[in-house]
Amino acid sequence: MSETPATSDKTEYNRLWWHSRRGMLELDNLLIPFVEEAYRDLNADDQARYKKLLSCEDNDMFDWFMQRSRPQDADLQRIVDLILNRVQPD
């Protein structure tokens, strides 16, 4: 039995949702709402950046979101900025 595009999209979304659960409350409070409310509206490049972010270490992400440091990678910096701008609009 093959997956339909809708089933495949739902499976991918569920995978992203679970990978967005980090076990660190501060990260969960940023990433879960972002994936639920904003991820699907991102363009393909920004969706890829979000997936790349999920492969990073929790401690690094925590420092980036607390603005203690910045990612060296411009793609990661862009997605961190997008997420922060959702919770800290100018």
Side-chain angles (χ1 to χ4, degrees):
M1 182 188 283
S2 65
E3 287 189 8
T4 65
T7 303
S8 178
D9 288 347
K10 181 70 173 164
T11 301
E12 178 67 14
Y13 174 79
N14 288 341
R15 185 176 297 120
L16 282 172
W17 192 92
W18 280 104
H19 284 282
S20 296
R21 289 193 68 222
R22 307 304 288 202
M24 184 183 290
L25 183 61
E26 296 85 353
L27 293 178
D28 290 350
N29 286 339
L30 287 170
L31 298 178
I32 297 293
F34 183 81
V35 80
E36 289 176 348
E37 300 164 10
Y39 176 81
R40 290 180 175 145
D41 295 331
L42 297 175
N43 64 44
D45 289 339
D46 286 339
Q47 286 183 351
R49 288 179 182 107
Y50 185 77
K51 291 175 187 175
K52 184 177 183 180
L53 177 70
L54 294 179
S55 69
C56 296
E57 295 291 329
D58 289 358
N59 290 333
D60 291 335
M61 283 194 282
F62 181 78
D63 286 344
W64 299 336
F65 289 124
M66 297 301 113
Q67 299 175 327
R68 294 178 182 161
S69 66
R70 295 173 61 84
Q72 296 296 315
D73 183 309
D75 285 335
L76 290 174
Q77 184 59 54
R78 174 168 168 73
I79 197 66
V80 166
D81 288 344
L82 285 172
I83 294 168
L84 286 174
N85 287 337
R86 285 192 75 249
V87 295
Q88 301 174 344
D90 290 333

